[in-house]
Each structure stands twice: as structure tokens, then as C-alpha cells.
Amino acid sequence: MKRILSLDGGGIRGVFSLEILLRMQEMLRAHSGSPSLVLSDHFDFLAGTSTGAIIATCLSWGMDVEQVLELYVEHGKKMFQRFPWYRPIKRMFVARYEAKPISDMLQRLFSEDGEGKIPALLSTKRLKTLLLVVVRNQTTGSAWPITNNPKAMYNNSSLADCNLNVPLWKW
């Protein structure tokens, strides 16, 4: 039997999802008798969109839910800093949050060296589960699912734009 966990978006409201996940992790630890169990030990496939994609990636990375919650509590205000109301609109599909603070933090977190100098790609062996994130194609506004599943359509390593070469921090 395969287990899939799917997480929705919602910016800083991801804290609510994390509180539920924290309780799930506690229950799974008690049930399995393993106090160090993390959700990537239990689920085979993690999926998410927006803040859910960040959480799913953290969990697939092998992070404990407490660590992810701490990340949101400590850095949430900076991560989800809204653009000022007077910001000029330059394109059709506009992001709600400043990209730089969150991308800087994710670049450090999802790196092979832990310092942000060597970015971890979607093909990294550090991901402990299959991962699917749904992002928005900025040119068309359409949904763009990206996965580390080696059998996925756009994961052929012979393609120049193979999805497996996308850095994890770029969601």
C-alpha cells in the first residue's frame, strides 16, 4: 500500500497544516514505537502547492515537523512579506509576496552543502520520498506540476529542460 500526503497553499496559514501534521507525527511515533519517526518515513509520496509545496519539500527532505514549524514561526513574517499596495503591476500574473526573502531562505535550506552554494536539484538523493509540487507557469498562468518521479514525462535527462535539473528552492 502506498501512502500519499497532499498539502494546500495559503501563505503563513501553512502553520495550521503544520499543527495538524505535528499531531499526525506524534500519533505515528506512538503507534510505531519509534520516537524519531518523521513523516517521510511513513509517506511514500508528498505533494503540495504554494506553501504546501514548501512544507512537502521540507518533509520529503527528512525534516521533523517541529523543525518546519519552527522555520515558519521564526521566518514567517519575512517569508510572507506582502508587496506594498502601491507596487506597480508589470505583468499579468502577480505574486502576492516578495520573492527574495523566501528564496534566500530556501536556497540555504535546500542545498547540498547546507550553505546555499551548491543547490540541491529535484533529482537529489536527499529527498526521501517522491515529491510533487504544483507551481504556476508565470508566462501563461497555468498550473505546472513538477515531480521527482523518474518516469514522469518531463524527467528525461536527455532533455535540455529536464525538470530533474530544477533547483528545489525555485518553487
Side-chain angles (χ1 to χ4, degrees), residues 1-4 40 42-46 128-131:
M1 178 170 65
K2 299 291 181 185
R3 295 182 180 101
I4 300 171
S40 62
H42 181 74
F43 289 98
D44 303 293
F45 201 121
L46 299 170
K128 299 181 182 330
T129 68
L130 288 176
L131 176 67

Side-chain angles (χ1 to χ4, degrees), residues 5 35 42 63 76 82 84-85 88 95 101 163 168:
L5 176 65
H42 181 74
M63 291 175 70
R82 289 196 176 267
W85 63 269
N163 283 342
L168 290 176

Side-chain angles (χ1 to χ4, degrees), residues 9-171:
I12 193 63
R13 290 184 299 270
V15 170
F16 297 120
S17 296
L18 286 164
E19 288 292 338
I20 294 166
L21 293 171
L22 184 59
R23 182 67 180 128
M24 285 174 61
Q25 182 177 267
E26 289 168 358
M27 292 171 71
L28 287 167
R29 284 177 174 177
H31 179 73
S32 70
S34 175
S36 61
L37 179 139
V38 292
L39 293 181
S40 62
D41 295 333
H42 181 74
F43 289 98
D44 303 293
F45 201 121
L46 299 170
T49 187
S50 191
T51 203
I54 295 169
I55 296 169
T57 306
C58 287
L59 297 175
S60 182
W61 192 253
M63 291 175 70
D64 186 290
V65 177
E66 286 105 344
Q67 291 175 295
V68 185
L69 185 56
E70 185 178 307
L71 185 78
Y72 271 67
V73 170
E74 283 185 27
H75 303 287
K77 196 172 202 172
K78 188 171 34 169
M79 285 169 51
F80 301 106
Q81 186 176 53
R82 289 196 176 267
F83 278 110
W85 63 269
Y86 53 84
R87 181 184 135 217
I89 296 173
K90 295 181 182 176
R91 60 181 185 254
M92 189 174 185
F93 303 101
V94 181
R96 292 183 183 180
Y97 306 107
E98 293 278 358
K100 185 152 177 44
I102 195 167
S103 64
D104 287 350
M105 191 262 313
L106 293 175
Q107 192 169 3
R108 278 189 308 280
L109 180 64
F110 299 126
S111 63
E112 297 293 352
D113 61 357
E115 297 176 14
K117 295 176 183 164
I118 303 170
L121 305 178
L122 189 56
S123 61
T124 185
K125 299 298 181 207
R126 293 193 61 183
L127 292 174
K128 299 181 182 330
T129 68
L130 288 176
L131 176 67
L132 171 75
V133 297
V134 180
V135 297
R136 180 188 303 173
N137 181 323
Q138 289 296 323
T139 56
T140 64
S142 62
W144 181 27
I146 305 172
T147 181
N148 64 341
N149 183 338
K151 296 179 182 178
M153 179 182 268
Y154 298 103
N155 288 357
N156 182 337
S157 59
S158 66
L159 298 172
D161 58 349
C162 174
N163 283 342
L164 293 174
N165 297 327
V166 174
L168 290 176
W169 65 271
K170 283 200 170 188
W171 318 131

